[in-house]
Amino acid sequence: MSQAPTTLGDRRALFILLSVTFLNIAGFGLVIPLLPFFGKALDAPAWQIALLFSAFSFGQFLGEPFWGRLSDRIGRRPVLIVTIAIAALCYIALAFAPTIWLAFLARFASGVFSGNISTLQGCMADITPPDQRAGRMGVMGSAFSLGFMTGPALGGLLAQPELGPIGFHIPLFAAAGFGLASALGVFLFVKETRPPTGESRPHGRPPALREAFGHPIISRVMIISFVIVSGFAGIEATYGLWTEKRFGWGPREIGLAFMVIGVIGAFAQGIGTSILVRRFGEARVLIAGLTLMFIGMFVQFASFAWPMAVLGLAIVGFGQSICFPNLVGLISLSTPPDRQGEMLGLNMSNNALARIGGPIYAGQLFSIVDPAAPFALGCILILPALVLAFQVLKRVPRRA
């Protein structure tokens, strides 16, 4: 069982992990606002563009539990070095994809090797006492948000969609550079937080799923994650097309909108989550975050001008920023130390599965029903998540 490090070692490990997380997510976030326009440059219809998001998520669905379980067995450091480096190379492959089908393949491979978030979370759990995990996951979420703020804004500025597919080479190369810098940072500066055990664990996905869904807290948290990630992923996949149709936006405006989300998320997760959790507990903060997400999605659905849409996006961003660290924290608190990577990986795989379906149905709703229909469905999906969150509240120990 790993021990909490000294104060100085704790700070050093925390700084390194946050830096690696920032660089890794900045590269990922740089690509997100470009995908709808990259797909259009390859003459892909809306449903195929949505599948670019799903291809990544399907790869992540396969990768997350595998890398998380492997990191429990051989250590976090080698898993992070290999996965981050190969995911970076996948951005270069995407830049040179001549057809939408090869772009799907590049996104799928990128998803498999980007399925290392649970390994990063496992590192954080390894060095954090149990009573501080939700707060620390919030700090890690802040690094995510800063990366997601920097990446989309930079991607929007660097993209030149008027040049066709070649106009996306520079931002995709930049994403690859961020990833390679992140892998180098792990190689040079990250020490192993979980020494290799060499044990070949009998646990696979079916037994782990049975264990997770037999747990009164983990089961509900994973269902909440699936429901809200599915709704948000559908919105994310169609947001660029929706704003282009509704307000005439392009990659730069989309990038700046996601930058706003990043700023809000960095504040909410880096400062707000820790304070709120100490005051109210993980489950109550989760309920508040879900409520804000519902309000924000409804505002976007009803928006008639771009300032109103940005306000709704900001509310959603704040809500999800205080939701997700508490979902991860609740799972971590309910899991033995030697199973952190596996259970967190299972949850990330669960989220990836939600991201597979979300863009698919959202693309169909956008094309067949109405461009704003994904927002309406997102609101509907949050309602059962709120019911489950209140059930979790009844099952977690009451804070003093």
Side-chain angles (χ1 to χ4, degrees), residues 12-25 143 181-182:
R12 184 183 298 117
L14 178 63
F15 174 78
I16 292 170
L17 279 176
L18 294 180
S19 299
V20 169
T21 300
F22 168 78
L23 285 173
N24 203 22
I25 299 303
S182 181

Side-chain angles (χ1 to χ4, degrees), residues 38-359:
F38 180 78
K40 289 181 71 174
L42 294 175
D43 298 320
W47 67 271
Q48 288 185 340
I49 292 172
L51 285 178
L52 281 175
F53 292 83
S54 293
F56 179 92
S57 299
F58 182 60
Q60 201 172 32
F61 167 73
L62 298 176
E64 279 288 359
F66 174 77
W67 300 122
R69 189 164 57 248
L70 187 64
S71 76
D72 283 338
R73 183 162 64 88
I74 70 171
R76 318 289 190 205
R77 184 173 180 270
V79 170
L80 287 174
I81 292 171
V82 171
T83 55
I84 294 173
I86 297 180
L89 297 178
C90 290
Y91 292 127
I92 298 176
L94 180 62
F96 291 105
T99 67
I100 190 66
W101 302 111
L102 289 176
F104 290 152
L105 181 61
R107 288 289 290 168
F108 170 75
S110 180
V112 170
F113 290 98
S114 295
N116 54 17
I117 304 303
S118 59
T119 305
L120 282 167
Q121 291 171 340
C123 285
M124 184 65 77
D126 291 340
I127 66 169
T128 305
D131 62 335
Q132 298 179 25
R133 281 184 191 159
R136 282 285 180 86
M137 293 301 176
V139 174
M140 177 172 272
S142 179
F144 269 68
S145 295
L146 286 172
F148 205 64
M149 172 187 72
T150 304
L154 184 60
L157 291 172
L158 293 177
Q160 299 180 38
E162 66 277 4
L163 299 180
I166 198 172
F168 298 94
H169 281 187
I170 292 177
L172 288 169
F173 292 161
F178 281 2
L180 292 173
S182 181
L184 183 62
V186 175
F187 179 77
L188 294 176
F189 302 115
V190 172
K191 294 182 179 180
E192 184 56 65
T193 62
R194 181 165 187 79
T197 64
E199 298 176 359
S200 181
R201 301 187 60 88
H203 299 285
R205 190 189 296 262
L209 279 171
R210 285 194 295 270
E211 181 180 344
F213 282 98
H215 193 284
I217 294 177
I218 295 177
S219 59
R220 287 170 172 80
V221 168
M222 288 184 63
I223 294 171
I224 293 169
S225 293
F226 182 87
V227 169
I228 63 175
V229 168
S230 175
F232 186 78
I235 292 171
E236 184 181 61
T238 56
Y239 191 80
L241 300 174
W242 177 70
T243 53
E244 180 188 40
K245 188 176 184 67
R246 181 70 64 89
F247 309 120
W249 283 12
R252 288 173 177 79
E253 291 84 0
I254 300 295
L256 290 173
F258 278 107
M259 185 181 72
V260 170
I261 292 298
V263 172
I264 293 170
F267 169 79
Q269 294 181 324
I271 300 174
T273 299
S274 182
I275 295 172
L276 290 170
V277 168
R278 284 198 300 268
R279 179 77 180 272
F280 301 107
E282 291 85 356
R284 287 183 175 83
V285 178
L286 173 60
I287 291 169
L290 289 170
T291 303
L292 287 172
M293 288 185 69
F294 177 89
I295 294 171
M297 288 182 184
F298 182 80
V299 169
Q300 288 179 94
F301 170 76
S303 62
F304 50 84
W306 71 261
M308 187 175 177
V310 171
L311 174 63
L313 186 64
I315 296 172
V316 171
F318 187 85
Q320 76 159 2
S321 294
I322 63 174
C323 266
F324 287 108
N326 288 287
L327 291 167
V328 174
L330 285 164
I331 291 174
S332 180
L333 290 172
S334 305
T335 305
D338 64 337
R339 305 291 303 285
Q340 295 284 325
E342 184 175 18
M343 282 299 167
L344 291 171
L346 194 63
N347 183 57
M348 292 304 300
S349 178
N350 171 63
N351 291 349
L353 182 62
R355 291 192 187 97
I356 295 170

